Amino acid sequence: MKQIEEVVSNLNEQEEQTFQAFIVTTLEEAAEAQRRVSYFKDRQAEIDAITEQQIEPFLKKIEMIKEWGKEAKKEFMEKESYYATTLEQYLRSEVEKQVEAGKKPKKTLALPYGKISLKKQQPEFVKDEEKLFEYAKQSGLIKVKESTDWAEVKKQCQIVNGVMVDENGEVIPGVQVVERPDKFELKLD
């Protein structure tokens, strides 16, 4: 068993040291090529694992710094929110005073560091989809989207001389058949 491991180890070292053209013409050469693909995939996986191990401590430090940043900003975010709320209350009271005085309310106020304003919003709609759909269905307010049933088209038609035809031999309009070569797939156990 130890001899086999030494032979494999020697082969792997030889592969790492010299890379030469390799042409597959026999089943044995195909097996050898697949073994080499497996070997190189394993080396890549090892490098990925080492990379992840080296990055991990830095990721922990980055997370620690981000958490510190969140905590350090909390105090300032709370104070910002407090002052923004007081500005909102002030503007709302000014608009209320203008309405009470019978004037058209001015909902924007220019200040030295920017503007504050009250913007009209669209109402929020909370919907019960089932009840709404029943109403819409009875009132004719539903959308019906038509589209091609491609799976059924493919099932009922066939490709003849590079074109798609139906069971009557008529060419299907709007379909161009582009033949593609077989896709190569390599699976390793």
Side-chain angles (χ1 to χ4, degrees):
M1 188 69 173
K2 196 157 188 119
Q3 285 180 323
I4 294 173
E5 289 175 3
E6 287 177 20
V7 170
V8 170
S9 178
N10 288 338
L11 282 173
N12 290 342
E13 287 174 15
Q14 288 173 2
E15 286 175 3
E16 288 178 355
Q17 292 170 0
T18 60
F19 181 80
Q20 49 188 316
F22 188 88
I23 299 172
V24 177
T25 57
T26 66
L27 187 58
E28 185 178 337
E29 289 169 338
E32 175 62 17
Q34 189 177 39
R35 184 193 66 77
R36 289 182 183 193
V37 167
S38 176
Y39 170 79
F40 292 123
K41 280 194 171 298
D42 290 345
R43 296 298 78 75
Q44 292 174 56
E46 285 176 15
I47 291 170
D48 287 343
I50 291 168
T51 302
E52 290 300 315
Q53 288 173 352
Q54 295 298 313
I55 290 174
E56 188 176 337
F58 295 106
L59 291 176
K60 288 179 181 175
K61 286 183 181 181
I62 289 170
E63 281 303 310
M64 188 175 75
I65 292 168
K66 284 182 179 179
E67 283 301 315
W68 172 84
K70 284 181 188 175
E71 286 298 315
K73 289 190 319 184
K74 263 186 184 175
E75 172 188 355
F76 301 108
M77 291 170 66
E78 290 169 0
K79 289 179 180 177
E80 174 195 356
S81 177
Y82 169 77
Y83 284 104
T85 301
T86 60
L87 284 169
E88 180 183 352
Q89 290 171 346
Y90 170 74
L91 185 57
R92 288 188 186 279
S93 71
E94 287 299 307
V95 167
E96 195 175 299
K97 288 177 190 174
Q98 292 170 20
V99 169
E100 288 173 359
K103 297 179 183 175
K104 183 179 179 193
K106 185 176 175 189
K107 295 184 175 185
T108 299
L109 182 61
L111 297 170
Y113 295 99
K115 294 180 179 179
I116 58 174
S117 60
L118 295 172
K119 299 283 184 194
K120 183 84 172 153
Q121 293 190 81
Q122 290 293 322
E124 180 181 345
F125 299 99
V126 180
K127 300 176 278 187
D128 180 334
E129 288 296 330
E130 288 180 21
K131 291 178 182 176
L132 179 61
F133 183 74
E134 283 303 315
Y135 167 79
K137 197 173 178 181
Q138 292 172 1
S139 302
L141 301 172
I142 58 171
K143 292 182 188 179
V144 177
K145 180 181 175 188
E146 292 183 352
S147 64
T148 303
D149 185 351
W150 181 241
E152 195 60 34
V153 169
K154 286 194 308 185
K155 191 188 301 181
Q156 293 184 12
C157 298
Q158 52 185 307
I159 299 171
V160 177
N161 297 327
V163 293
M164 183 174 261
V165 296
D166 64 14
E167 58 224 12
N168 300 326
E170 291 185 38
V171 174
I172 306 296
V175 177
Q176 178 183 0
V177 179
V178 180
E179 293 291 341
R180 300 188 299 174
D182 294 344
K183 181 180 173 185
F184 175 72
E185 189 175 282
L186 173 71
K187 290 185 179 180
L188 298 174
D189 296 327

